[in-house]
């Protein structure tokens, strides 16, 4: 892979192993993985330094009820509390700045949307069937039920759809959709790298 240029974004269903897969990819490629630390970087950019990580995440994830009509993030006025709007915009700015500095991997945070007008990024959506997710919920996610995993996914979908105006998980919004139930995660990571290599070779 041309590691001098490529930035990878990973969005995922809860329980599909997307975080683990992103970590494996980062290790194989020798690049940094950015996830929750983006929240703290965005908060620092806004001058917020007196909130806990839980409070920052709650502020970041604040979304109005589903009955509200979508308003693009760049058009927000009184439709949404300024703290959640500013946090989203600050995170997006941090993502774009980090992406300019070199190859890395972003997990979640609408990074695919934040980088939509930039070159040399590859967007992945990680999903899995219910049986696989239910198994991982019990074994990896502290015994969470499939219903609990689905509840978390609904929150992610609301957040993504509200801020981007796009449908979370829609294959048309990503370069690659991966079903992690089909193979071990290290093999999937190798396949992703090989696929990106093939795309880059075609461009060259």
């Amino acid at each position: 892979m041309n590691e001098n240029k490529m930035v990878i974004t990973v969005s995922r269903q809860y329980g599909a192993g997307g975080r683990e897969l992103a970590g494996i990819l980062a290790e194989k490629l020798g690049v940094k993985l950015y996830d929750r630390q983006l929240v703290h970087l965005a908060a620092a950019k806004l001058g917020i330094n007196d909130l806990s990580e839980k409070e920052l995440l709650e502020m970041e994830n604040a979304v109005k009820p589903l009955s509200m009509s979508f308003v693009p993030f760049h058009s927000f006025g009184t439709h949404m509390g300024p703290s959640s709007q500013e946090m989203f915009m600050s995170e997006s700015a941090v993502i774009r700045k980090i992406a300019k500095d070199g190859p890395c991997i972003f997990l979640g945070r609408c990074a695919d949307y934040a980088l939509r007008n930039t070159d040399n990024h590859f967007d992945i959506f990680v999903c899995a069937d219910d049986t696989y997710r239910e198994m991982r919920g019990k074994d990896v996610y502290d015994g969470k039920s499939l219903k609990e995993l689905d509840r978390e996914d609904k929150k992610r979908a609301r957040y993504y759809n509200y801020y981007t105006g796009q449908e979370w998980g829609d294959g048309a919004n990503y370069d690659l959709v991966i079903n992690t139930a089909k193979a071990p995660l290290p093999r999937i990571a190798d396949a992703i790298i090989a696929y990106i290599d093939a795309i880059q070779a075609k461009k060259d």
Side-chain angles (χ1 to χ4, degrees), residues 100-112:
K100 286 182 179 180
D101 292 337
C104 60
I105 297 176
F106 294 108
L107 182 64
R109 267 66 207 178
C110 300
D112 57 303

Side-chain angles (χ1 to χ4, degrees), residues 72-92:
F73 77 90
H74 52 75
S75 301
F76 277 99
T78 59
H79 292 82
M80 194 162 195
S83 60
S84 54
Q85 173 200 356
E86 289 172 1
M87 178 62 83
F88 176 81
M89 296 178 71
S90 182
E91 278 191 17
S92 296

